[in-house]
């Protein structure tokens, strides 16, 4: 099967039931996508498929054939996506483990909704868990990024 990862054409000949996350991490060495719960509940593995935020740990390879996948490494060539800039400005990360998934969910939200309400942000981010409890800084960063997006 063929797919596009971070704007590069890729081929895959393995098990069509393999989770996308393992293909990204183990075969393409794109380790920004993190393994968290393995059941799509924590959001650490969030990537974009055709611009929509999805959990890569529960998305299998057969479902991404002929689709475009964007990981945190492909979100911005220089790390200056509005969400990434807002994250740095707000000093969001503490341990950092969940941050790639958080950023990908936030970027997916802002791609669909340039002016999200507080409820929109809570709804979009409710599936991303931060064990350090950085939720207030995450919320502030998303509000800031929305002003720039």
């Amino acid at each position: 099967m063929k797919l596009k990862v971070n704007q590069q054409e890729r081929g895959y000949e393995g098990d069509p039931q393999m989770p996308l996350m393992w293909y990204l991490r183990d075969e393409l060495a794109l380790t920004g996508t993190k393994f968290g719960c393995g059941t799509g509940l924590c959001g650490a593995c969030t990537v974009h498929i055709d611009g929509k935020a999805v959990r890569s740990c529960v998305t299998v390879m057969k479902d991404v054939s002929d689709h475009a996948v964007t990981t945190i490494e492909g979100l911005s060539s220089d790390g200056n996506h509005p969400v990434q800039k807002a994250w740095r400005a707000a000093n969001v990360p503490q341990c950092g483990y969940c941050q790639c998934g958080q950023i990908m969910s936030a970027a997916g939200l802002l791609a669909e909704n340039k002016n999200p309400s507080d409820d929109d942000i809570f709804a979009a981010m409710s599936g991303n868990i931060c064990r350090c409890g950085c939720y207030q800084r995450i919320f502030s960063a998303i509000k800031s990024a929305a002003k720039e997006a």
Side-chain angles (χ1 to χ4, degrees):
M1 71 183 69
K2 292 184 179 185
L3 66 154
K4 191 178 281 188
V5 178
N6 296 338
Q7 301 183 5
Q8 290 186 333
E9 296 290 334
R10 301 285 185 165
Y12 177 73
E13 301 295 328
D15 180 356
Q17 294 299 320
M18 182 170 86
L20 172 62
M21 180 188 63
W22 296 124
Y23 173 72
L24 297 171
R25 289 186 58 84
D26 292 350
E27 297 196 23
L28 301 183
L30 296 170
T31 57
T33 303
K34 303 298 185 209
F35 176 75
C37 65
T39 58
L41 299 174
C42 75
C45 66
T46 303
V47 300
H48 294 174
I49 296 177
D50 297 334
K52 295 194 178 287
V54 299
R55 306 296 196 243
S56 65
C57 71
V58 292
T59 302
V60 296
M61 290 303 295
K62 71 177 177 109
D63 292 334
V64 296
S65 182
D66 297 321
H67 290 278
V69 176
T70 304
T71 68
I72 189 71
E73 293 90 344
L75 185 62
S76 168
S77 62
D78 61 1
N80 282 322
H81 183 280
V83 174
Q84 292 170 311
K85 289 169 48 178
W87 238 247
R88 287 191 298 271
N91 291 318
V92 172
Q94 191 164 326
C95 86
Y97 194 82
C98 71
Q99 297 304 305
C100 296
Q102 300 273 2
I103 289 170
M104 294 305 287
S105 289
L109 166 65
L110 295 179
E112 293 180 2
N113 182 351
K114 302 273 187 232
N115 189 22
S117 67
D118 292 356
D119 288 343
D120 294 334
I121 294 171
F122 289 129
M125 302 303 292
S126 66
N128 286 80
I129 296 171
C130 175
R131 293 180 180 144
C132 301
C134 298
Y135 297 110
Q136 289 183 325
R137 292 193 307 249
I138 290 168
F139 181 83
S140 295
I142 293 170
K143 294 292 275 186
S144 177
K147 292 176 185 169
E148 189 176 326

